[in-house]
């Protein structure tokens, strides 16, 4: 599932990319001396080496030195040989800002991010996938937003990088992140007039859910709302859990049209196996149990149509949910009902007296 390295080497690890920001962003100047610095945390698991290096170089090249505390690469026990010694040697040559730490055993994306965060030294943290290229002046709008509203979690505007040609391109629409009853992230196209206004002003706009490949936050705030659920497994659903928790517990999620990062969209090994592999499914069960309240029945109805419907939590896993429930109570978070009404009106509950939930397919 990795991009063929020899082919992608033809595109240099450091390159000029298309500045996809709305025009208005290009005139903005920032008083960066007042900004906090950021630690960029990048977990990787059997990623194409050139993709990892392109991610790292893009951050080094397009972030003011004074704002970048460090880049922490967290290798999640990859088995690819070029992520061993060759990566280590390369990282050594990049100077002391770039660090490489390794998990002895596979921990998954979620715990790798938490591991990186524990070692980070800056007040702001940015989580990036290992197949990203950040664009011009990507960090400054994030830091400005966090300075103004520390209780927001930021999603830069996600552009696309083509998995075959590595061509960088912006989608021609603006979107918000939405939600389905089986707790998947979906793209919601914004109304034309909202898109136009956002393009014209470059102003931040809110989003119900995060896509997950790039996110930034004030570390103290992130910890205060329970960072990630460390009992979630490997990968999947952590973006939805964090989204619901942030909104319901008094924070907000915003997307910044002026902060652009390109993400390589491609099938991941996980997604290839089944749309809902069992660890992802378990993570979603955790999310539904803690955050959906009486609406969780719709989640269970919606997921029963998928292959892995027999997935269940173990007794220990059920027990570990208590920590998250008491966190929810301690933070006095609002109800899912409130979330539906105020944040995600696009997600309609099925009619109250409905008898079946499913889908119709053509043979
Ligand atoms: Mn990704």
């Amino acid at each position: 599932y990795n991009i063929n390295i020899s082919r992608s080497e033809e595109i240099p690890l450091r390159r000029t990319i298309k500045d996809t920001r709305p025009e208005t962003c290009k005139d903005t100047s920032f008083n960066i001396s007042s900004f906090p610095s950021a630690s960029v945390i990048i977990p990787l698991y059997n990623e194409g080496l050139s993709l990892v290096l392109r991610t790292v170089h893009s951050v080094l090249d397009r972030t003011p030195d004074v704002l970048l505390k460090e880049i922490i690469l967290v290798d999640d026990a990859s088995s690819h040989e070029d992520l061993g010694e060759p990566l280590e040697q390369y990282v050594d040559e990049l100077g002391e800002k770039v660090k490489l730490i390794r998990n002895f055993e596979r921990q998954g994306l979620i715990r790798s991010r938490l591991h990186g965060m524990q070692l980070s030294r800056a007040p702001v943290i940015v989580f990036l996938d290992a197949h990203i290229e950040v664009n011009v002046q990507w960090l400054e709008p994030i830091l400005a937003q966090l300075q103004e509203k520390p209780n927001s979690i930021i999603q830069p505007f996600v552009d696309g990088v083509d998995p075959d040609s590595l061509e960088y391109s912006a989608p021609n629409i603006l979107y918000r992140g939405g939600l389905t009853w089986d707790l998947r992230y979906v793209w919601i196209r914004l109304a034309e007039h909202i898109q136009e206004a956002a393009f014209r002003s470059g102003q931040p706009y809110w989003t119900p859910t995060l896509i997950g490949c790039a996110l930034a936050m004030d570390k103290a705030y992130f910890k205060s709302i329970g960072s990630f659920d460390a009992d979630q497994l490997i990968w999947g659903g952590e973006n939805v859990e964090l989204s619901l928790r942030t909104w319901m517990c008094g924070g907000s999620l915003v997307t910044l049209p002026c902060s652009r990062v390109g993400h390589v969209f491609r099938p991941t090994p996980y997604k290839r196996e089944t749309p809902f592999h069992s660890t992802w499914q378990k993570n979603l069960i955790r999310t539904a149990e803690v955050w959906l309240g009486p609406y969780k029945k719709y989640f269970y109805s919606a997921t029963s149509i998928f292959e892995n419907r027999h997935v269940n939590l173990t007794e220990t896993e059920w027990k570990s949910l208590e920590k998250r429930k008491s966190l929810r109570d301690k933070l006095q978070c609002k109800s899912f009902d409130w979330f539906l009404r105020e944040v995600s009106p696009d997600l309609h509950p099925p009619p109250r007296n409905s008898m079946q939930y499913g889908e119709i397919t053509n043979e």
Side-chain angles (χ1 to χ4, degrees):
Y1 300 110
N2 274 295
I3 287 174
N4 181 328
I5 289 176
S6 59
R7 186 184 50 192
S8 57
E9 289 299 359
E10 290 162 16
I11 292 159
L13 297 175
R14 308 174 70 170
R15 58 171 174 164
T16 314
I17 53 176
K18 199 192 307 176
D19 185 348
T20 51
R21 297 174 296 165
E23 284 307 316
T24 171
C25 307
K26 298 176 185 170
D27 305 327
T28 316
S29 59
F30 295 94
N31 177 16
I32 64 171
S33 60
S34 72
F35 284 167
S37 62
S39 297
V40 177
I41 298 160
I42 307 172
L44 58 113
Y45 175 68
N46 283 348
E47 188 69 72
L49 176 61
S50 66
L51 283 176
V52 177
L53 299 181
R54 198 169 286 109
T55 307
V56 171
H57 277 298
S58 75
V59 174
L60 287 173
D61 291 352
R62 305 201 182 97
T63 314
D65 198 49
V66 58
L67 297 182
L68 182 66
K69 188 74 156 182
E70 62 208 345
I71 298 174
I72 303 176
L73 294 165
V74 187
D75 170 39
D76 193 18
S78 297
S79 56
H80 286 187
E81 275 180 28
D82 54 8
L83 296 175
E85 193 68 14
L87 176 62
E88 222 155 278
Q89 281 173 7
Y90 199 98
V91 163
D92 275 349
E93 284 170 28
L94 291 175
E96 57 185 23
K97 277 213 175 173
V98 188
K99 292 158 200 167
L100 172 64
I101 56 174
R102 296 192 191 272
N103 296 338
F104 290 112
E105 278 179 1
R106 183 87 202 278
Q107 296 291 317
L109 174 84
I110 299 160
R111 288 178 208 158
S112 298
R113 282 180 174 175
L114 289 172
H115 188 186
M117 181 176 79
Q118 279 158 7
L119 299 170
S120 69
R121 295 172 304 151
V124 168
I125 42 176
V126 182
F127 294 114
L128 296 181
D129 279 2
H131 37 267
I132 289 250
E133 275 177 87
V134 300
N135 211 316
V136 181
Q137 217 178 41
W138 72 288
L139 185 61
E140 290 90 327
I142 292 176
L143 297 176
Q145 173 71 17
L146 286 175
Q147 202 168 42
E148 197 180 322
K149 283 193 179 160
N151 66 342
S152 48
I153 291 185
I154 315 277
Q155 178 173 300
F157 192 94
V158 179
D159 287 330
V161 176
D162 185 278
D164 290 318
S165 65
L166 296 183
E167 188 189 344
Y168 189 106
S169 64
N172 51 13
I173 61 156
L174 289 186
Y175 52 82
R176 286 196 172 110
L179 198 60
T180 55
W181 281 110
D182 51 14
L183 297 183
R184 269 178 306 160
Y185 174 94
V186 285
W187 308 80
I188 299 178
R189 191 189 180 119
L190 297 181
E192 294 293 334
H193 69 282
I194 302 178
Q195 292 195 43
E196 269 172 40
F199 267 126
R200 252 199 326 273
S201 69
Q203 287 302 306
Y205 61 92
W206 59 273
T207 176
T209 58
L210 300 159
I211 187 167
C213 61
L215 53 161
M217 63 280 276
D218 178 278
K219 186 162 65 179
Y221 171 70
F222 186 53
K223 282 183 173 170
S224 78
I225 60 160
S227 62
F228 283 117
D229 175 0
D231 289 307
Q232 282 191 334
L233 305 161
I234 305 291
W235 180 92
E238 78 288 340
N239 55 329
V240 169
E241 196 271 344
L242 176 62
S243 303
L244 296 179
R245 178 155 43 86
T246 305
W247 279 114
M248 290 165 66
C249 307
S252 59
L253 309 178
V254 287
T255 297
L256 307 182
C258 291
S259 171
R260 318 289 287 212
V261 306
H263 173 253
V264 180
F265 286 99
R266 52 155 181 199
T268 73
Y270 313 107
K271 275 184 194 156
R272 279 284 174 92
E273 285 158 16
T274 146
F276 275 80
H277 62 87
S278 64
T279 48
W280 184 358
Q281 191 76 348
K282 279 188 172 193
N283 293 347
L284 294 181
I285 291 173
R286 298 182 69 84
T287 306
E289 288 290 333
V290 178
W291 299 105
L292 261 54
Y295 290 89
K296 71 181 179 189
K297 66 182 175 192
Y298 298 128
F299 163 76
Y300 286 112
S301 305
T303 44
S304 72
I305 61 176
F306 291 101
E307 218 176 305
N308 283 318
R309 61 186 172 277
H310 301 302
V311 170
N312 200 350
L313 305 186
T314 63
E315 207 174 310
T316 325
E317 287 167 341
W318 278 111
K319 246 186 173 159
S320 70
L321 271 184
E322 293 308 314
K323 279 182 286 183
R324 303 305 284 182
K325 289 181 181 169
S326 52
L327 172 79
R328 176 196 66 200
D329 297 343
K330 194 186 87 187
L331 295 171
Q332 300 184 309
C333 304
K334 298 187 188 89
S335 67
F336 192 70
D337 202 50
W338 173 88
F339 177 81
L340 283 181
R341 213 171 46 241
E342 302 292 332
V343 184
S344 188
D346 297 285
L347 179 62
H348 302 285
R352 202 170 292 177
N353 55 357
S354 46
M355 302 292 288
Q356 299 285 335
Y357 193 116
E359 61 183 16
I360 297 168
T361 59
N362 190 331
E363 265 185 60

